[in-house]
Amino acid sequence: MSECCKELKKKYEKLKYDICYLNDAFFKLNQKINRIPEGPTGDTGPTGDTGPTGDTGPTGDIYSTIYNGLIDLSSLNIGDIVTYTITSGLSYTVGQEVIFGYDSNNLFVSLVNSYNTITGLLEINIQSITGSGTYSPWEVNITGAPGKQGPIGDTGPTGDTGPIGDTGPTGDTGPTGDTGPIGDTGPTGDTGPEGPSFLGERLEITSDTTLSDGNYLVAITENTSGITLTLPPSNNINQYYIIDEVGNASSQNIIINPNGSETISGNISQVINVNYGTVGLYSTSSNYFLLFTLP
């Protein structure tokens, strides 16, 4: 079928539709004039053929586009005037609010100073900045006026506590604070038990010696090759404090032997082998016993 015939068919179909519409309108008008009551609605007639598709309407305003260049949010400041080349043929006009958004946390809002529909050059004035860093690509679109804030929703349930993370490294020790004031002196403690008394005379020993009965402070004042002290028989009165005053007993030991088969606290001898060591002894009727050893 030729284009001319197709066009005539379209016009014929439209004319049939117009005639049906006019007949219905005249009928309703005639009923009103003659006050003829309207009869019951008749059965619906068969659906007529679909009319021809109408002409496409004009294209609406378009604002949405993508800007693929890199933008560093940290380099922008409110009030800056900047230009970006975006898609041409959009509908931006002076004063409109436009948003460049990488995501909901990184975006900036500006006012349009000018837009060239042929080249796509967009000049804007920065109004607000959210986020930081350099990103690409950017979604570009016109912004709507902010709506009224809706009601705050209910707080959701608290989630389970996550596992405890590893302990971080110990930080550097901070500077020592000032010394606080000295506190009050506490109460004096109870007096301890009285130690053994010693009232004997001092004996200075420089070589191997057999000690006499009595109470003596036995001071080793010279010791070049070790000293051996022999105790007298036990008799319930002997008491000796034997001291390394030279301070070399670790290398030149001081050996203390009881008399015969007697012992010192069950041992056949007692040795001072610590520099400046001290031993305290006392006797019973049959043996010797240690009072103390120092250190």
Side-chain angles (χ1 to χ4, degrees):
M1 184 181 290
S2 67
E3 291 300 322
C4 180
C5 290
K6 288 181 181 179
E7 186 64 28
L8 287 174
K9 184 178 180 181
K10 286 183 182 181
K11 290 182 179 181
Y12 172 73
E13 295 295 337
K14 186 173 185 304
L15 180 61
K16 283 200 305 181
Y17 174 79
D18 290 343
I19 291 171
C20 288
Y21 177 79
L22 289 173
N23 283 338
D24 184 64
F26 281 127
F27 177 75
K28 289 181 180 180
L29 178 61
N30 188 48
Q31 282 185 322
K32 289 182 180 180
I33 294 173
N34 296 291
R35 300 186 180 275
I36 300 173
E38 185 174 337
T41 303
D43 296 334
T44 303
T47 303
D49 297 335
T50 303
T53 303
D55 297 334
T56 302
T59 302
D61 293 339
I62 299 176
Y63 299 96
S64 178
T65 187
I66 298 293
Y67 177 70
N68 290 308
L70 287 172
I71 299 177
D72 182 5
L73 288 176
S74 304
S75 68
L76 301 180
N77 297 290
I78 294 175
D80 285 354
I81 296 176
V82 294
T83 58
Y84 300 107
T85 299
I86 61 175
T87 304
S88 61
L90 302 180
S91 303
Y92 288 104
T93 59
V94 175
Q96 287 181 319
E97 194 172 61
V98 60
I99 183 170
F100 280 63
Y102 176 75
D103 55 31
S104 60
N105 297 315
N106 297 280
L107 53 89
F108 61 95
V109 177
S110 307
L111 292 178
V112 176
N113 282 354
S114 63
Y115 172 68
N116 189 315
T117 59
I118 297 175
T119 64
L121 184 65
L122 176 69
E123 180 181 280
I124 53 176
N125 187 322
I126 306 292
Q127 300 297 301
S128 67
I129 303 168
T130 301
S132 62
T134 302
Y135 305 100
S136 177
W138 297 83
E139 294 185 18
V140 183
N141 207 339
I142 193 170
T143 64
K148 181 180 179 181
Q149 180 172 333
I152 297 174
D154 297 334
T155 301
T158 302
D160 297 334
T161 302
I164 299 174
D166 298 334
T167 302
T170 303
D172 297 335
T173 302
T176 303
D178 297 335
T179 302
I182 297 173
D184 298 334
T185 302
T188 303
D190 298 334
T191 302
E194 183 177 354
S197 62
F198 181 78
L199 301 174
E201 67 177 290
R202 172 186 168 87
L203 296 178
E204 295 186 358
I205 303 299
T206 61
S207 61
D208 296 347
T209 301
T210 299
L211 299 176
S212 302
D213 292 334
N215 291 346
Y216 293 101
L217 173 63
V218 181
I220 308 302
T221 58
E222 184 178 335
N223 183 3
T224 58
S225 59
I227 298 283
T228 299
L229 300 176
T230 303
L231 302 174
S234 300
N235 56 12
N236 276 331
I237 63 171
N238 292 337
Q239 186 173 327
Y240 305 100
Y241 285 10
I242 303 169
I243 304 172
D244 172 25
E245 289 191 356
V246 180
N248 66 350
S250 63
S251 59
Q252 306 298 331
N253 296 165
I254 301 169
I255 301 173
I256 306 165
N257 292 324
N259 182 269
S261 61
E262 295 178 357
T263 61
I264 301 174
S265 292
N267 298 313
I268 60 174
S269 65
Q270 179 69 35
V271 179
I272 299 175
N273 55 9
V274 178
N275 292 344
Y276 302 105
T278 302
V279 169
L281 303 171
Y282 72 94
S283 69
T284 64
S285 61
S286 59
N287 285 296
Y288 283 87
F289 291 90
L290 285 171
L291 280 170
F292 61 86
T293 60
L294 296 174

